[in-house]
Amino acid sequence: MRRNKIRTKSRAPRRASRIPATASAFKEALIGDLNPLTFIEVSGAAGDAAGDRNAARRFLTLQFNRVKVDGKISHLLVTVFDVTLQVELERALAEAKVKAKAEMEVMLDLLKIDPTTLNLFLKTAELTLLEVNDLLRSAGGALDYRRTVTTIFRKIHTLKGEAATLGLEMFETLAQQFETLLSSLREKGAVSGDDLLALPFPLEEFLQRVAMVRDLTARLAAYHDAFAPAADGDAFAQNLSRLAQRVANDHGKQVHLESDLALLTALPEKMRAELKDITIQLLRNAVAHGIESAAERADQSKPAAGRATVALKPTGDGECELLLRDDGRGLAPQAIREQLLRSGRYTGEQLDQLDERRIVMKIFEPGFSTAKEVGRDAGHGVGMDVVKHRIEQLGARLRISTRSKVFTQFSIHFALEGAA
């Protein structure tokens, strides 16, 4: 529909009047109800005299009235109203409401979090996202592109875990969306530089949200002295408990978490960060994959609620042990083997050469997952890759113990050199 063929007419103020309840009035009302063109969107992009192919869209509403002469319908009067301004105002108002609601939800989430922990998260998030930006700018070469995607995936997944632990759903959702985009790239046969061009957009949105939350925290601090930074050694344990409950609820499970992480505050900041990342990923994995549903546990004469334990203890030989144990279904080497075979990563002959211990260690490979569906807690196959990477950075040793339908335990030993 072209603009030069549509006469628009401003809606005139309606005068109050009484309309008799006649069959004629009823038919007029019926025509209005059946009108399929009460609201249409048109554009004058084609054929503009000025050659502007990006002409603004217009929103029109059409009103139909029958014209009678001597009691008989002679023709139909079509009146066109330009309601563009009204539509734009309504949409702007709706967007403002959505934004205000989002900011209010974020603000309520912020009030639940220890300020020191929150400020640390914002700082870490910004640094991580800037590192991702540097990786994108310096990427080059087919092999390097794929390695870049894997590295970014690991960083974003770690950030998602930290956001989930704090209950910051906005950041968790952004990270999940970013992961979905990265996953599609990772599954490609070859990754090119052009494939990375879409990544700066979610990266920029993430950075903008970090800036928004930082601004909100500053405003809250200005209004309320109680929001000033204050240390809380139990904050991480409380956040882990919240994360465990959220993951359990999402998967229709029940879980009880016991934690002893008092030693964490005595460790250097970098070491604390590595251990927190490991703990978050292992706990999420334990609840999402290890612990069974209440019905499944009942069939095995287990309590309805699964039990998970997280502890950090000195071993007395200048080392420390981070332990995470759950009383779930255990690691099944045969199930891992079957998934590796289905994924096409290995042939049956290659897997036949591996013992059960080496099969189990394949859960740390990037992209490996036994999850049937992709969600914010499982399916991308990057959580255990993060654990492996962090263990290597700590220079730690990993030991896995498991028994089918009884338990799984991860024990990580590392030196306490440099601990405060």
Side-chain angles (χ1 to χ4, degrees):
M1 190 178 296
R2 293 172 57 177
R3 256 188 286 178
N4 57 354
K5 291 189 178 182
I6 299 177
R7 287 192 66 182
T8 60
K9 183 176 180 180
S10 300
R11 186 187 298 271
R14 294 183 178 177
R15 293 180 297 173
S17 61
R18 293 187 177 182
I19 302 175
T22 63
S24 178
F26 175 76
K27 290 179 180 179
E28 292 292 344
L30 182 61
I31 290 175
D33 291 340
L34 297 177
N35 177 17
L37 300 176
T38 54
F39 177 82
I40 59 174
E41 179 180 343
V42 298
S43 173
D48 270 6
D52 181 9
R53 294 192 173 275
N54 296 310
R57 294 174 301 173
R58 311 300 296 178
F59 297 94
L60 308 176
T61 183
L62 280 67
Q63 179 177 308
F64 296 87
N65 297 96
R66 298 176 300 167
V67 178
K68 293 184 177 181
V69 177
D70 297 330
K72 295 182 179 180
I73 299 175
S74 63
H75 58 277
L76 194 65
L77 176 65
V78 182
T79 309
V80 181
F81 299 97
D82 187 339
V83 293
T84 303
L85 181 59
Q86 175 187 334
V87 171
E88 290 176 347
L89 289 174
E90 289 175 351
R91 291 186 174 181
L93 180 59
E95 290 176 2
K97 287 182 178 179
V98 171
K99 183 178 180 181
K101 182 180 178 181
E103 287 192 358
M104 180 59 69
E105 290 176 349
V106 170
M107 191 173 296
L108 291 174
D109 285 340
L110 299 183
L111 291 172
K112 306 175 194 173
I113 305 171
D114 167 59
T116 301
T117 304
L118 176 60
N119 289 330
L120 180 59
F121 168 79
L122 294 174
K123 178 182 177 181
T124 302
E126 185 174 43
L127 289 174
T128 298
L129 295 172
L130 291 176
E131 288 175 1
V132 170
N133 185 59
D134 290 340
L135 285 169
L136 291 174
R137 294 176 62 182
S138 60
L143 180 60
D144 192 47
Y145 291 138
R146 178 166 291 281
R147 186 182 296 114
T148 296
V149 170
T150 299
T151 303
I152 293 175
F153 211 141
R154 188 184 297 132
K155 290 180 178 294
I156 296 299
H157 191 79
T158 300
L159 196 56
K160 184 178 79 170
E162 294 171 353
T165 305
L166 295 178
L168 292 171
E169 292 192 10
M170 177 182 67
F171 290 121
E172 187 181 5
T173 300
L174 285 172
Q176 176 67 23
Q177 293 170 350
F178 207 152
E179 281 189 351
T180 300
L181 183 57
L182 291 166
S183 182
S184 64
L185 295 181
R186 190 178 59 186
E187 293 169 0
K188 293 188 62 175
V191 180
S192 67
D194 289 342
D195 293 324
L196 304 185
L197 294 179
L199 299 183
F201 297 101
L203 177 62
E204 177 62 24
E205 182 179 5
F206 218 136
L207 283 167
Q208 288 178 359
R209 295 297 180 90
V210 169
M212 182 193 78
V213 172
R214 179 171 286 139
D215 178 63
L216 284 174
T217 56
R219 286 154 58 187
L220 284 171
Y223 288 124
H224 205 309
D225 292 337
F227 203 72
D232 184 359
D234 296 327
F236 183 59
Q238 294 171 1
N239 293 334
L240 284 178
S241 180
R242 182 167 54 237
L243 173 65
Q245 294 301 327
R246 200 273 296 155
V247 176
N249 291 338
D250 285 358
H251 290 77
K253 302 177 180 180
Q254 301 175 37
V255 64
H256 175 70
L257 175 66
E258 296 179 352
S259 58
D260 182 359
L261 298 169
L263 182 61
L264 195 62
T265 57
L267 301 179
E269 181 178 346
K270 186 176 186 303
M271 186 176 287
R272 287 202 306 271
E274 304 288 358
L275 292 171
K276 285 182 178 181
D277 288 344
I278 291 171
T279 305
I280 290 169
Q281 303 302 333
L282 288 179
L283 178 61
R284 188 203 294 265
N285 191 71
V287 180
H289 293 285
I291 292 175
E292 313 94 332
S293 66
E296 187 178 346
R297 292 177 67 85
D299 291 340
Q300 301 173 30
S301 299
K302 290 182 176 181
R307 184 174 295 274
T309 304
V310 179
L312 184 62
K313 298 285 186 180
T315 59
D317 54 0
E319 289 193 339
C320 194
E321 178 190 33
L322 173 65
L323 182 144
L324 194 143
R325 180 185 180 104
D326 70 77
D327 67 346
R329 57 175 60 96
L331 293 172
Q334 183 58 30
I336 296 172
R337 183 186 187 282
E338 291 172 358
Q339 180 59 27
L340 289 168
L341 194 59
R342 282 194 297 270
S343 68
R345 292 167 175 266
Y346 299 92
T347 64
E349 292 75 13
Q350 291 173 321
L351 294 172
D352 288 339
Q353 298 175 11
L354 304 179
D355 58 24
E356 287 191 349
R357 184 188 68 83
R358 294 174 67 187
I359 288 288
V360 168
M361 293 303 293
K362 295 297 181 182
I363 65 175
F364 294 98
E365 287 194 354
F368 175 80
S369 176
T370 56
K372 296 180 180 179
E373 297 180 357
V374 175
R376 57 176 171 173
D377 299 309
H380 285 304
V382 70
M384 300 305 283
D385 176 39
V386 169
V387 171
K388 178 185 176 183
H389 184 68
R390 294 291 183 262
I391 289 175
E392 291 173 350
Q393 290 185 319
L394 276 173
R397 304 185 308 279
L398 169 67
R399 179 181 178 184
I400 302 175
S401 303
T402 187
R403 185 181 301 172
S404 178
K405 300 182 181 181
V406 180
F407 77 96
T408 299
Q409 177 174 296
F410 293 86
S411 177
I412 299 160
H413 289 258
F414 58 95
L416 283 172
E417 295 179 6

